[in-house]
Amino acid sequence: MLKKLFSVLALVTSASVLAAGGEHIHLDKAPINLQDKASLQRGAKMFQNYCLGCHQMEYQRYSRTFRDLGIPDDVGMKELAFTANKVGDYIKNAAPKTDLAKWFGAPPPDLTNVARVRGPDWIYTYLRSFYADPTRPFGVNNEVFPLVGMPHVLQELQGIPHKKHETQLVDGQSKDVYIGIVADGSGELSPDDYDKAVADLVNYLEYTGEPSKLESHSLGIKVMIFLFIFFILAFLLKKEYWKDVH
C-alpha cells in the first residue's frame, strides 16, 4: 500500500510539471462506463497491444484484472498476458528502464494510477491530440502535452494526424483559424471508431486506478434496491399501525 502511495505522489509531481504547457486546453468529456465489461475488455487488449511495451502496471495483477473484467484465466493468459508466467503476476514489461530512459529522455511512468492523477478527460483528450511535427524526435507533437517525448503509438489506428486550419472572417479580415486535428485517412479505423477505441482504453485506465469501484457500484445498486423494498415495507407497516388512530 505504501509503495502504491509513493507511485501516486510521483505521478502527481510529474503531472504538475509536464502539464504546464497544456493546462489551458479544453478537455473533452471521456465516456466512462465501468459497468460496460465489453469496453473494459477491449481497453485491456488495447493497453496490452499498444502501451505495455513501454509502460507498466506494477500495482495491478493479471488475476484481479481477469476476475473483475469477466475473462477466464486461461483465455486471459493466452490473449493478454504476454509477459507473465503466472496468472498472479503483476502487469509488467520486459524492457530495461535504463534503455527506456535513454530512448525517451525519462523512464515512461507506471500507468496503474494515471487516471486518478491526470483524470480520464485529460487522457482521452491527450490521446486524440497528437499531430505531425517533423521538428520533434518522433515526428509528432501534442496539443495537450506540448513537446511530448512519446511517439504516437496509436497512429496505425488513427492515421497521420495534422492540424487543420481554415480561412475565416475575423474582425473584418480573412485569417487562417485553427479548427482542430484531422487524420489523413491512412489509419485502420474511422475517426469515430478511433475515438471509441481511445474511450475503451481510458475506461480501462479508469478501472485500474481504483478497481474497487466495480464492487462499490454493484454494492451500491443492491443497497438502493434494499432501501426501496424496506421503504415500501415500512410505509405499509406505518399504515397498518395508524389505521385505527383516527
PDB file of all heavy atoms in Angstrom, residues 1 3-4 6-7 10-11 47-48 52 54-62 65 88-93 95 97 100 107-114 204 208:
ATOM      1  N   MET A   1       0.829  -1.206   0.000  1.00  0.00           N
ATOM      2  CA  MET A   1       0.000   0.000   0.000  1.00  0.00           C
ATOM      3  C   MET A   1       0.862   1.253   0.000  1.00  0.00           C
ATOM      4  O   MET A   1       0.595   2.219  -0.711  1.00  0.00           O
ATOM      5  CB  MET A   1      -0.908  -0.027   1.225  1.00  0.00           C
ATOM      6  CG  MET A   1      -1.876   1.146   1.269  1.00  0.00           C
ATOM      7  SD  MET A   1      -3.064   1.061  -0.094  1.00  0.00           S
ATOM      8  CE  MET A   1      -3.907   2.623   0.124  1.00  0.00           C
ATOM      9  N   LYS A   3       3.895   1.504  -1.097  1.00  0.00           N
ATOM     10  CA  LYS A   3       4.554   1.617  -2.393  1.00  0.00           C
ATOM     11  C   LYS A   3       3.627   2.253  -3.423  1.00  0.00           C
ATOM     12  O   LYS A   3       4.026   3.085  -4.241  1.00  0.00           O
ATOM     13  CB  LYS A   3       4.993   0.222  -2.863  1.00  0.00           C
ATOM     14  CG  LYS A   3       5.836   0.234  -4.137  1.00  0.00           C
ATOM     15  CD  LYS A   3       6.276  -1.185  -4.481  1.00  0.00           C
ATOM     16  CE  LYS A   3       7.121  -1.173  -5.753  1.00  0.00           C
ATOM     17  NZ  LYS A   3       7.512  -2.550  -6.148  1.00  0.00           N
ATOM     18  N   LYS A   4       2.341   1.883  -3.366  1.00  0.00           N
ATOM     19  CA  LYS A   4       1.367   2.445  -4.292  1.00  0.00           C
ATOM     20  C   LYS A   4       1.167   3.934  -4.025  1.00  0.00           C
ATOM     21  O   LYS A   4       1.037   4.738  -4.956  1.00  0.00           O
ATOM     22  CB  LYS A   4       0.040   1.703  -4.161  1.00  0.00           C
ATOM     23  CG  LYS A   4      -0.984   2.090  -5.222  1.00  0.00           C
ATOM     24  CD  LYS A   4      -2.165   1.138  -5.193  1.00  0.00           C
ATOM     25  CE  LYS A   4      -3.138   1.468  -6.330  1.00  0.00           C
ATOM     26  NZ  LYS A   4      -4.254   0.531  -6.406  1.00  0.00           N
ATOM     27  N   PHE A   6       3.422   6.034  -2.830  1.00  0.00           N
ATOM     28  CA  PHE A   6       4.577   6.740  -3.384  1.00  0.00           C
ATOM     29  C   PHE A   6       4.458   6.874  -4.897  1.00  0.00           C
ATOM     30  O   PHE A   6       4.860   7.889  -5.478  1.00  0.00           O
ATOM     31  CB  PHE A   6       5.872   6.008  -3.035  1.00  0.00           C
ATOM     32  CG  PHE A   6       6.313   6.220  -1.607  1.00  0.00           C
ATOM     33  CD1 PHE A   6       6.781   5.167  -0.846  1.00  0.00           C
ATOM     34  CD2 PHE A   6       6.236   7.474  -1.021  1.00  0.00           C
ATOM     35  CE1 PHE A   6       7.173   5.358   0.464  1.00  0.00           C
ATOM     36  CE2 PHE A   6       6.634   7.682   0.292  1.00  0.00           C
ATOM     37  CZ  PHE A   6       7.102   6.612   1.042  1.00  0.00           C
ATOM     38  N   SER A   7       3.894   5.850  -5.557  1.00  0.00           N
ATOM     39  CA  SER A   7       3.709   5.914  -7.004  1.00  0.00           C
ATOM     40  C   SER A   7       2.768   7.049  -7.378  1.00  0.00           C
ATOM     41  O   SER A   7       3.009   7.799  -8.319  1.00  0.00           O
ATOM     42  CB  SER A   7       3.157   4.581  -7.534  1.00  0.00           C
ATOM     43  OG  SER A   7       2.782   4.678  -8.875  1.00  0.00           O
ATOM     44  N   ALA A  10       4.480  10.388  -6.952  1.00  0.00           N
ATOM     45  CA  ALA A  10       5.433  10.634  -8.030  1.00  0.00           C
ATOM     46  C   ALA A  10       4.718  11.081  -9.300  1.00  0.00           C
ATOM     47  O   ALA A  10       5.155  11.990 -10.003  1.00  0.00           O
ATOM     48  CB  ALA A  10       6.248   9.369  -8.311  1.00  0.00           C
ATOM     49  N   LEU A  11       3.585  10.456  -9.587  1.00  0.00           N
ATOM     50  CA  LEU A  11       2.821  10.841 -10.759  1.00  0.00           C
ATOM     51  C   LEU A  11       2.252  12.248 -10.613  1.00  0.00           C
ATOM     52  O   LEU A  11       2.214  13.014 -11.570  1.00  0.00           O
ATOM     53  CB  LEU A  11       1.684   9.844 -10.990  1.00  0.00           C
ATOM     54  CG  LEU A  11       2.042   8.583 -11.781  1.00  0.00           C
ATOM     55  CD1 LEU A  11       0.885   7.601 -11.730  1.00  0.00           C
ATOM     56  CD2 LEU A  11       2.389   8.918 -13.217  1.00  0.00           C
ATOM     57  N   PHE A  47      -4.418  -1.773 -24.165  1.00  0.00           N
ATOM     58  CA  PHE A  47      -3.249  -1.489 -23.324  1.00  0.00           C
ATOM     59  C   PHE A  47      -2.150  -2.519 -23.570  1.00  0.00           C
ATOM     60  O   PHE A  47      -0.973  -2.153 -23.723  1.00  0.00           O
ATOM     61  CB  PHE A  47      -3.636  -1.491 -21.849  1.00  0.00           C
ATOM     62  CG  PHE A  47      -2.472  -1.218 -20.940  1.00  0.00           C
ATOM     63  CD1 PHE A  47      -2.116   0.080 -20.629  1.00  0.00           C
ATOM     64  CD2 PHE A  47      -1.714  -2.260 -20.416  1.00  0.00           C
ATOM     65  CE1 PHE A  47      -1.017   0.345 -19.810  1.00  0.00           C
ATOM     66  CE2 PHE A  47      -0.618  -2.010 -19.603  1.00  0.00           C
ATOM     67  CZ  PHE A  47      -0.272  -0.701 -19.296  1.00  0.00           C
ATOM     68  N   GLN A  48      -2.510  -3.788 -23.586  1.00  0.00           N
ATOM     69  CA  GLN A  48      -1.504  -4.839 -23.759  1.00  0.00           C
ATOM     70  C   GLN A  48      -0.823  -4.738 -25.118  1.00  0.00           C
ATOM     71  O   GLN A  48       0.381  -4.982 -25.239  1.00  0.00           O
ATOM     72  CB  GLN A  48      -2.157  -6.211 -23.611  1.00  0.00           C
ATOM     73  CG  GLN A  48      -2.757  -6.494 -22.237  1.00  0.00           C
ATOM     74  CD  GLN A  48      -1.745  -6.433 -21.118  1.00  0.00           C
ATOM     75  OE1 GLN A  48      -1.815  -5.568 -20.250  1.00  0.00           O
ATOM     76  NE2 GLN A  48      -0.793  -7.338 -21.119  1.00  0.00           N
ATOM     77  N   LEU A  52       1.912  -1.565 -23.240  1.00  0.00           N
ATOM     78  CA  LEU A  52       2.744  -2.356 -22.327  1.00  0.00           C
ATOM     79  C   LEU A  52       4.200  -2.425 -22.758  1.00  0.00           C
ATOM     80  O   LEU A  52       5.074  -2.682 -21.936  1.00  0.00           O
ATOM     81  CB  LEU A  52       2.167  -3.772 -22.203  1.00  0.00           C
ATOM     82  CG  LEU A  52       2.841  -4.691 -21.176  1.00  0.00           C
ATOM     83  CD1 LEU A  52       2.765  -4.095 -19.774  1.00  0.00           C
ATOM     84  CD2 LEU A  52       2.222  -6.078 -21.195  1.00  0.00           C
ATOM     85  N   CYS A  54       6.179  -0.110 -23.288  1.00  0.00           N
ATOM     86  CA  CYS A  54       6.943   0.908 -22.563  1.00  0.00           C
ATOM     87  C   CYS A  54       6.426   1.137 -21.145  1.00  0.00           C
ATOM     88  O   CYS A  54       7.201   1.354 -20.225  1.00  0.00           O
ATOM     89  CB  CYS A  54       6.909   2.235 -23.332  1.00  0.00           C
ATOM     90  SG  CYS A  54       7.646   2.164 -24.974  1.00  0.00           S
ATOM     91  N   HIS A  55       5.117   1.120 -20.992  1.00  0.00           N
ATOM     92  CA  HIS A  55       4.504   1.403 -19.689  1.00  0.00           C
ATOM     93  C   HIS A  55       4.129   0.108 -18.980  1.00  0.00           C
ATOM     94  O   HIS A  55       3.823  -0.894 -19.615  1.00  0.00           O
ATOM     95  CB  HIS A  55       3.249   2.260 -19.861  1.00  0.00           C
ATOM     96  CG  HIS A  55       3.507   3.593 -20.475  1.00  0.00           C
ATOM     97  ND1 HIS A  55       3.976   4.670 -19.758  1.00  0.00           N
ATOM     98  CD2 HIS A  55       3.363   4.028 -21.754  1.00  0.00           C
ATOM     99  CE1 HIS A  55       4.105   5.717 -20.554  1.00  0.00           C
ATOM    100  NE2 HIS A  55       3.740   5.364 -21.769  1.00  0.00           N
ATOM    101  N   GLN A  56       4.118   0.177 -17.651  1.00  0.00           N
ATOM    102  CA  GLN A  56       3.741  -0.972 -16.840  1.00  0.00           C
ATOM    103  C   GLN A  56       2.548  -0.629 -15.955  1.00  0.00           C
ATOM    104  O   GLN A  56       2.121   0.527 -15.885  1.00  0.00           O
ATOM    105  CB  GLN A  56       4.917  -1.405 -15.948  1.00  0.00           C
ATOM    106  CG  GLN A  56       6.170  -1.770 -16.704  1.00  0.00           C
ATOM    107  CD  GLN A  56       7.209  -2.396 -15.804  1.00  0.00           C
ATOM    108  OE1 GLN A  56       7.603  -3.529 -16.005  1.00  0.00           O
ATOM    109  NE2 GLN A  56       7.674  -1.669 -14.803  1.00  0.00           N
ATOM    110  N   MET A  57       2.004  -1.663 -15.319  1.00  0.00           N
ATOM    111  CA  MET A  57       1.038  -1.503 -14.243  1.00  0.00           C
ATOM    112  C   MET A  57       1.537  -2.349 -13.082  1.00  0.00           C
ATOM    113  O   MET A  57       1.072  -3.461 -12.855  1.00  0.00           O
ATOM    114  CB  MET A  57      -0.360  -1.947 -14.695  1.00  0.00           C
ATOM    115  CG  MET A  57      -1.022  -0.984 -15.650  1.00  0.00           C
ATOM    116  SD  MET A  57      -2.745  -1.417 -15.942  1.00  0.00           S
ATOM    117  CE  MET A  57      -3.293   0.029 -16.855  1.00  0.00           C
ATOM    118  N   GLU A  58       2.480  -1.797 -12.369  1.00  0.00           N
ATOM    119  CA  GLU A  58       3.179  -2.552 -11.331  1.00  0.00           C
ATOM    120  C   GLU A  58       2.307  -2.881 -10.124  1.00  0.00           C
ATOM    121  O   GLU A  58       2.706  -3.660  -9.267  1.00  0.00           O
ATOM    122  CB  GLU A  58       4.409  -1.773 -10.860  1.00  0.00           C
ATOM    123  CG  GLU A  58       5.472  -1.587 -11.934  1.00  0.00           C
ATOM    124  CD  GLU A  58       6.699  -0.917 -11.383  1.00  0.00           C
ATOM    125  OE1 GLU A  58       7.480  -1.587 -10.674  1.00  0.00           O
ATOM    126  OE2 GLU A  58       6.880   0.301 -11.630  1.00  0.00           O
ATOM    127  N   TYR A  59       1.123  -2.285 -10.039  1.00  0.00           N
ATOM    128  CA  TYR A  59       0.275  -2.495  -8.870  1.00  0.00           C
ATOM    129  C   TYR A  59      -1.044  -3.166  -9.231  1.00  0.00           C
ATOM    130  O   TYR A  59      -1.982  -3.153  -8.437  1.00  0.00           O
ATOM    131  CB  TYR A  59       0.027  -1.148  -8.176  1.00  0.00           C
ATOM    132  CG  TYR A  59       1.296  -0.378  -7.987  1.00  0.00           C
ATOM    133  CD1 TYR A  59       1.613   0.692  -8.829  1.00  0.00           C
ATOM    134  CD2 TYR A  59       2.226  -0.765  -7.019  1.00  0.00           C
ATOM    135  CE1 TYR A  59       2.813   1.376  -8.683  1.00  0.00           C
ATOM    136  CE2 TYR A  59       3.420  -0.078  -6.870  1.00  0.00           C
ATOM    137  CZ  TYR A  59       3.711   0.985  -7.704  1.00  0.00           C
ATOM    138  OH  TYR A  59       4.900   1.647  -7.568  1.00  0.00           O
ATOM    139  N   GLN A  60      -1.103  -3.735 -10.429  1.00  0.00           N
ATOM    140  CA  GLN A  60      -2.309  -4.428 -10.881  1.00  0.00           C
ATOM    141  C   GLN A  60      -1.931  -5.841 -11.327  1.00  0.00           C
ATOM    142  O   GLN A  60      -1.056  -6.020 -12.162  1.00  0.00           O
ATOM    143  CB  GLN A  60      -2.952  -3.664 -12.051  1.00  0.00           C
ATOM    144  CG  GLN A  60      -4.202  -4.298 -12.623  1.00  0.00           C
ATOM    145  CD  GLN A  60      -5.429  -4.063 -11.760  1.00  0.00           C
ATOM    146  OE1 GLN A  60      -5.362  -3.403 -10.727  1.00  0.00           O
ATOM    147  NE2 GLN A  60      -6.561  -4.608 -12.173  1.00  0.00           N
ATOM    148  N   ARG A  61      -2.576  -6.834 -10.746  1.00  0.00           N
ATOM    149  CA  ARG A  61      -2.297  -8.225 -11.104  1.00  0.00           C
ATOM    150  C   ARG A  61      -3.203  -8.670 -12.260  1.00  0.00           C
ATOM    151  O   ARG A  61      -4.339  -8.228 -12.386  1.00  0.00           O
ATOM    152  CB  ARG A  61      -2.524  -9.151  -9.902  1.00  0.00           C
ATOM    153  CG  ARG A  61      -1.581  -8.925  -8.738  1.00  0.00           C
ATOM    154  CD  ARG A  61      -1.860  -9.933  -7.629  1.00  0.00           C
ATOM    155  NE  ARG A  61      -1.093  -9.640  -6.433  1.00  0.00           N
ATOM    156  CZ  ARG A  61       0.143 -10.106  -6.211  1.00  0.00           C
ATOM    157  NH1 ARG A  61       0.715 -10.880  -7.120  1.00  0.00           N
ATOM    158  NH2 ARG A  61       0.778  -9.797  -5.101  1.00  0.00           N
ATOM    159  N   TYR A  62      -2.666  -9.592 -13.056  1.00  0.00           N
ATOM    160  CA  TYR A  62      -3.481 -10.169 -14.122  1.00  0.00           C
ATOM    161  C   TYR A  62      -4.710 -10.862 -13.535  1.00  0.00           C
ATOM    162  O   TYR A  62      -5.811 -10.753 -14.081  1.00  0.00           O
ATOM    163  CB  TYR A  62      -2.659 -11.174 -14.931  1.00  0.00           C
ATOM    164  CG  TYR A  62      -1.714 -10.538 -15.920  1.00  0.00           C
ATOM    165  CD1 TYR A  62      -0.349 -10.459 -15.657  1.00  0.00           C
ATOM    166  CD2 TYR A  62      -2.191 -10.029 -17.125  1.00  0.00           C
ATOM    167  CE1 TYR A  62       0.518  -9.870 -16.574  1.00  0.00           C
ATOM    168  CE2 TYR A  62      -1.322  -9.438 -18.040  1.00  0.00           C
ATOM    169  CZ  TYR A  62       0.030  -9.368 -17.757  1.00  0.00           C
ATOM    170  OH  TYR A  62       0.884  -8.785 -18.659  1.00  0.00           O
ATOM    171  N   THR A  65      -7.424  -8.434 -12.730  1.00  0.00           N
ATOM    172  CA  THR A  65      -7.997  -7.903 -13.960  1.00  0.00           C
ATOM    173  C   THR A  65      -8.948  -8.903 -14.606  1.00  0.00           C
ATOM    174  O   THR A  65     -10.068  -8.547 -14.995  1.00  0.00           O
ATOM    175  CB  THR A  65      -6.875  -7.543 -14.955  1.00  0.00           C
ATOM    176  OG1 THR A  65      -5.971  -6.615 -14.347  1.00  0.00           O
ATOM    177  CG2 THR A  65      -7.449  -6.925 -16.226  1.00  0.00           C
ATOM    178  N   GLY A  88      -1.074 -14.784 -11.330  1.00  0.00           N
ATOM    179  CA  GLY A  88      -0.966 -13.847 -10.224  1.00  0.00           C
ATOM    180  C   GLY A  88       0.108 -12.794 -10.397  1.00  0.00           C
ATOM    181  O   GLY A  88       0.298 -11.951  -9.511  1.00  0.00           O
ATOM    182  N   ASP A  89       0.819 -12.794 -11.522  1.00  0.00           N
ATOM    183  CA  ASP A  89       1.881 -11.814 -11.754  1.00  0.00           C
ATOM    184  C   ASP A  89       1.308 -10.408 -11.946  1.00  0.00           C
ATOM    185  O   ASP A  89       0.162 -10.231 -12.373  1.00  0.00           O
ATOM    186  CB  ASP A  89       2.687 -12.177 -13.002  1.00  0.00           C
ATOM    187  CG  ASP A  89       3.593 -13.382 -12.781  1.00  0.00           C
ATOM    188  OD1 ASP A  89       3.763 -13.788 -11.613  1.00  0.00           O
ATOM    189  OD2 ASP A  89       4.119 -13.917 -13.774  1.00  0.00           O
ATOM    190  N   TYR A  90       2.139  -9.410 -11.635  1.00  0.00           N
ATOM    191  CA  TYR A  90       1.778  -8.030 -11.925  1.00  0.00           C
ATOM    192  C   TYR A  90       1.954  -7.761 -13.412  1.00  0.00           C
ATOM    193  O   TYR A  90       2.695  -8.461 -14.109  1.00  0.00           O
ATOM    194  CB  TYR A  90       2.637  -7.062 -11.113  1.00  0.00           C
ATOM    195  CG  TYR A  90       2.315  -7.060  -9.637  1.00  0.00           C
ATOM    196  CD1 TYR A  90       3.103  -7.770  -8.732  1.00  0.00           C
ATOM    197  CD2 TYR A  90       1.233  -6.346  -9.143  1.00  0.00           C
ATOM    198  CE1 TYR A  90       2.808  -7.776  -7.373  1.00  0.00           C
ATOM    199  CE2 TYR A  90       0.929  -6.347  -7.788  1.00  0.00           C
ATOM    200  CZ  TYR A  90       1.726  -7.058  -6.910  1.00  0.00           C
ATOM    201  OH  TYR A  90       1.425  -7.068  -5.578  1.00  0.00           O
ATOM    202  N   ILE A  91       1.272  -6.713 -13.907  1.00  0.00           N
ATOM    203  CA  ILE A  91       1.325  -6.388 -15.332  1.00  0.00           C
ATOM    204  C   ILE A  91       2.578  -5.561 -15.603  1.00  0.00           C
ATOM    205  O   ILE A  91       2.573  -4.327 -15.510  1.00  0.00           O
ATOM    206  CB  ILE A  91       0.051  -5.640 -15.765  1.00  0.00           C
ATOM    207  CG1 ILE A  91      -1.180  -6.481 -15.441  1.00  0.00           C
ATOM    208  CG2 ILE A  91       0.091  -5.316 -17.258  1.00  0.00           C
ATOM    209  CD1 ILE A  91      -2.502  -5.803 -15.757  1.00  0.00           C
ATOM    210  N   LYS A  92       3.658  -6.247 -15.918  1.00  0.00           N
ATOM    211  CA  LYS A  92       4.941  -5.603 -16.166  1.00  0.00           C
ATOM    212  C   LYS A  92       5.454  -5.976 -17.550  1.00  0.00           C
ATOM    213  O   LYS A  92       5.039  -6.969 -18.137  1.00  0.00           O
ATOM    214  CB  LYS A  92       5.966  -6.030 -15.112  1.00  0.00           C
ATOM    215  CG  LYS A  92       5.632  -5.580 -13.693  1.00  0.00           C
ATOM    216  CD  LYS A  92       6.751  -5.971 -12.739  1.00  0.00           C
ATOM    217  CE  LYS A  92       6.475  -5.497 -11.325  1.00  0.00           C
ATOM    218  NZ  LYS A  92       7.586  -5.815 -10.398  1.00  0.00           N
ATOM    219  N   ASN A  93       6.368  -5.153 -18.055  1.00  0.00           N
ATOM    220  CA  ASN A  93       7.018  -5.480 -19.320  1.00  0.00           C
ATOM    221  C   ASN A  93       8.449  -5.912 -19.070  1.00  0.00           C
ATOM    222  O   ASN A  93       8.933  -5.902 -17.931  1.00  0.00           O
ATOM    223  CB  ASN A  93       6.955  -4.297 -20.298  1.00  0.00           C
ATOM    224  CG  ASN A  93       7.648  -3.055 -19.750  1.00  0.00           C
ATOM    225  OD1 ASN A  93       8.651  -3.125 -19.052  1.00  0.00           O
ATOM    226  ND2 ASN A  93       7.098  -1.883 -20.067  1.00  0.00           N
ATOM    227  N   ALA A  95      11.111  -4.569 -20.759  1.00  0.00           N
ATOM    228  CA  ALA A  95      12.050  -3.559 -21.247  1.00  0.00           C
ATOM    229  C   ALA A  95      12.873  -2.984 -20.099  1.00  0.00           C
ATOM    230  O   ALA A  95      12.311  -2.559 -19.088  1.00  0.00           O
ATOM    231  CB  ALA A  95      11.291  -2.448 -21.951  1.00  0.00           C
ATOM    232  N   LYS A  97      14.597  -0.401 -17.793  1.00  0.00           N
ATOM    233  CA  LYS A  97      14.271   1.002 -17.558  1.00  0.00           C
ATOM    234  C   LYS A  97      15.392   1.935 -18.011  1.00  0.00           C
ATOM    235  O   LYS A  97      15.125   3.065 -18.442  1.00  0.00           O
ATOM    236  CB  LYS A  97      13.971   1.224 -16.074  1.00  0.00           C
ATOM    237  CG  LYS A  97      12.658   0.605 -15.623  1.00  0.00           C
ATOM    238  CD  LYS A  97      12.330   0.971 -14.193  1.00  0.00           C
ATOM    239  CE  LYS A  97      10.978   0.389 -13.768  1.00  0.00           C
ATOM    240  NZ  LYS A  97      10.611   0.745 -12.380  1.00  0.00           N
ATOM    241  N   LEU A 100      14.871   2.450 -21.697  1.00  0.00           N
ATOM    242  CA  LEU A 100      13.703   3.301 -21.934  1.00  0.00           C
ATOM    243  C   LEU A 100      14.023   4.761 -21.629  1.00  0.00           C
ATOM    244  O   LEU A 100      13.605   5.661 -22.368  1.00  0.00           O
ATOM    245  CB  LEU A 100      12.525   2.825 -21.071  1.00  0.00           C
ATOM    246  CG  LEU A 100      11.909   1.475 -21.445  1.00  0.00           C
ATOM    247  CD1 LEU A 100      10.863   1.071 -20.410  1.00  0.00           C
ATOM    248  CD2 LEU A 100      11.278   1.516 -22.831  1.00  0.00           C
ATOM    249  N   PRO A 107      12.284   7.579 -17.902  1.00  0.00           N
ATOM    250  CA  PRO A 107      11.535   6.312 -17.899  1.00  0.00           C
ATOM    251  C   PRO A 107      10.036   6.567 -18.038  1.00  0.00           C
ATOM    252  O   PRO A 107       9.491   7.433 -17.355  1.00  0.00           O
ATOM    253  CB  PRO A 107      11.857   5.717 -16.513  1.00  0.00           C
ATOM    254  CG  PRO A 107      13.092   6.422 -16.055  1.00  0.00           C
ATOM    255  CD  PRO A 107      13.026   7.796 -16.647  1.00  0.00           C
ATOM    256  N   PRO A 108       9.344   5.881 -18.931  1.00  0.00           N
ATOM    257  CA  PRO A 108       7.889   6.044 -19.045  1.00  0.00           C
ATOM    258  C   PRO A 108       7.210   5.723 -17.719  1.00  0.00           C
ATOM    259  O   PRO A 108       7.562   4.741 -17.062  1.00  0.00           O
ATOM    260  CB  PRO A 108       7.509   5.020 -20.127  1.00  0.00           C
ATOM    261  CG  PRO A 108       8.754   4.817 -20.924  1.00  0.00           C
ATOM    262  CD  PRO A 108       9.872   4.928 -19.932  1.00  0.00           C
ATOM    263  N   PRO A 109       6.250   6.531 -17.290  1.00  0.00           N
ATOM    264  CA  PRO A 109       5.631   6.333 -15.977  1.00  0.00           C
ATOM    265  C   PRO A 109       4.762   5.084 -15.922  1.00  0.00           C
ATOM    266  O   PRO A 109       4.220   4.636 -16.935  1.00  0.00           O
ATOM    267  CB  PRO A 109       4.786   7.590 -15.788  1.00  0.00           C
ATOM    268  CG  PRO A 109       4.473   8.031 -17.176  1.00  0.00           C
ATOM    269  CD  PRO A 109       5.689   7.704 -17.990  1.00  0.00           C
ATOM    270  N   ASP A 110       4.641   4.534 -14.732  1.00  0.00           N
ATOM    271  CA  ASP A 110       3.700   3.456 -14.497  1.00  0.00           C
ATOM    272  C   ASP A 110       2.287   4.020 -14.660  1.00  0.00           C
ATOM    273  O   ASP A 110       1.995   5.130 -14.217  1.00  0.00           O
ATOM    274  CB  ASP A 110       3.893   2.907 -13.084  1.00  0.00           C
ATOM    275  CG  ASP A 110       2.990   1.723 -12.786  1.00  0.00           C
ATOM    276  OD1 ASP A 110       1.825   1.954 -12.384  1.00  0.00           O
ATOM    277  OD2 ASP A 110       3.438   0.588 -12.949  1.00  0.00           O
ATOM    278  N   LEU A 111       1.395   3.247 -15.283  1.00  0.00           N
ATOM    279  CA  LEU A 111       0.067   3.760 -15.604  1.00  0.00           C
ATOM    280  C   LEU A 111      -1.047   3.194 -14.727  1.00  0.00           C
ATOM    281  O   LEU A 111      -2.219   3.433 -15.009  1.00  0.00           O
ATOM    282  CB  LEU A 111      -0.256   3.481 -17.079  1.00  0.00           C
ATOM    283  CG  LEU A 111       0.620   4.185 -18.114  1.00  0.00           C
ATOM    284  CD1 LEU A 111       0.104   3.920 -19.516  1.00  0.00           C
ATOM    285  CD2 LEU A 111       0.701   5.687 -17.855  1.00  0.00           C
ATOM    286  N   THR A 112      -0.698   2.488 -13.665  1.00  0.00           N
ATOM    287  CA  THR A 112      -1.744   1.935 -12.814  1.00  0.00           C
ATOM    288  C   THR A 112      -2.680   3.027 -12.309  1.00  0.00           C
ATOM    289  O   THR A 112      -3.901   2.870 -12.314  1.00  0.00           O
ATOM    290  CB  THR A 112      -1.142   1.202 -11.602  1.00  0.00           C
ATOM    291  OG1 THR A 112      -0.070   0.369 -12.014  1.00  0.00           O
ATOM    292  CG2 THR A 112      -2.205   0.375 -10.901  1.00  0.00           C
ATOM    293  N   ASN A 113      -2.124   4.142 -11.872  1.00  0.00           N
ATOM    294  CA  ASN A 113      -2.912   5.203 -11.246  1.00  0.00           C
ATOM    295  C   ASN A 113      -3.021   6.465 -12.090  1.00  0.00           C
ATOM    296  O   ASN A 113      -3.415   7.511 -11.576  1.00  0.00           O
ATOM    297  CB  ASN A 113      -2.287   5.567  -9.893  1.00  0.00           C
ATOM    298  CG  ASN A 113      -2.258   4.402  -8.938  1.00  0.00           C
ATOM    299  OD1 ASN A 113      -3.288   3.862  -8.575  1.00  0.00           O
ATOM    300  ND2 ASN A 113      -1.072   3.984  -8.538  1.00  0.00           N
ATOM    301  N   VAL A 114      -2.687   6.371 -13.375  1.00  0.00           N
ATOM    302  CA  VAL A 114      -2.623   7.591 -14.184  1.00  0.00           C
ATOM    303  C   VAL A 114      -3.983   8.283 -14.281  1.00  0.00           C
ATOM    304  O   VAL A 114      -4.060   9.516 -14.295  1.00  0.00           O
ATOM    305  CB  VAL A 114      -2.071   7.279 -15.590  1.00  0.00           C
ATOM    306  CG1 VAL A 114      -3.020   6.389 -16.381  1.00  0.00           C
ATOM    307  CG2 VAL A 114      -1.769   8.562 -16.350  1.00  0.00           C
ATOM    308  N   TYR A 204     -10.576   1.534 -19.311  1.00  0.00           N
ATOM    309  CA  TYR A 204      -9.751   0.527 -18.623  1.00  0.00           C
ATOM    310  C   TYR A 204      -8.788   1.185 -17.637  1.00  0.00           C
ATOM    311  O   TYR A 204      -8.604   0.699 -16.509  1.00  0.00           O
ATOM    312  CB  TYR A 204      -8.984  -0.288 -19.660  1.00  0.00           C
ATOM    313  CG  TYR A 204      -8.001  -1.268 -19.078  1.00  0.00           C
ATOM    314  CD1 TYR A 204      -8.429  -2.372 -18.339  1.00  0.00           C
ATOM    315  CD2 TYR A 204      -6.635  -1.102 -19.263  1.00  0.00           C
ATOM    316  CE1 TYR A 204      -7.530  -3.273 -17.804  1.00  0.00           C
ATOM    317  CE2 TYR A 204      -5.724  -2.003 -18.737  1.00  0.00           C
ATOM    318  CZ  TYR A 204      -6.170  -3.083 -18.002  1.00  0.00           C
ATOM    319  OH  TYR A 204      -5.272  -3.968 -17.466  1.00  0.00           O
ATOM    320  N   THR A 208      -8.362   0.557 -13.578  1.00  0.00           N
ATOM    321  CA  THR A 208      -7.155   0.136 -12.858  1.00  0.00           C
ATOM    322  C   THR A 208      -6.760   1.135 -11.782  1.00  0.00           C
ATOM    323  O   THR A 208      -6.116   0.765 -10.798  1.00  0.00           O
ATOM    324  CB  THR A 208      -5.968  -0.055 -13.826  1.00  0.00           C
ATOM    325  OG1 THR A 208      -5.681   1.178 -14.508  1.00  0.00           O
ATOM    326  CG2 THR A 208      -6.249  -1.151 -14.836  1.00  0.00           C
TER     327      THR A 208
END
